[in-house]
Amino acid sequence: MSYDALKELAAAGHNFKGANPQQLDAISSLSQEEVALLNSIKARLDAAEDVVSHSNSPLSGAFVW
């Protein structure tokens, strides 16, 4: 079974709403190490009390924060 970057990122709570097919292709090509780094950054941002997520904004297209 091959590695599924999108599945791993989604399992960590990343949201791909609004991503176009080219963006999804680029995200899908991330290595395990790159996904682990993004998940680590997201976990730290989620744990920080003074960090406000851009994903709460209706105009956000970011999947990390």
Side-chain angles (χ1 to χ4, degrees):
M1 180 171 219
S2 65
Y3 180 71
D4 187 340
L6 282 172
K7 182 178 177 181
E8 292 295 323
L9 289 165
H14 295 275
N15 183 344
F16 303 107
K17 181 179 178 184
N20 66 43
Q22 294 82 10
Q23 292 168 328
L24 292 173
D25 285 344
I27 295 165
S28 294
S29 72
L30 294 174
S31 69
Q32 290 180 348
E33 293 81 11
E34 291 167 325
V35 169
L37 177 61
L38 290 173
N39 285 341
S40 173
I41 293 168
K42 183 180 184 322
R44 287 186 238 161
L45 290 172
D46 288 348
E49 293 179 18
D50 61 342
V51 176
V52 178
S53 168
H54 292 291
S55 65
N56 292 333
S57 166
L59 299 177
S60 177
F63 73 96
V64 176
W65 49 80

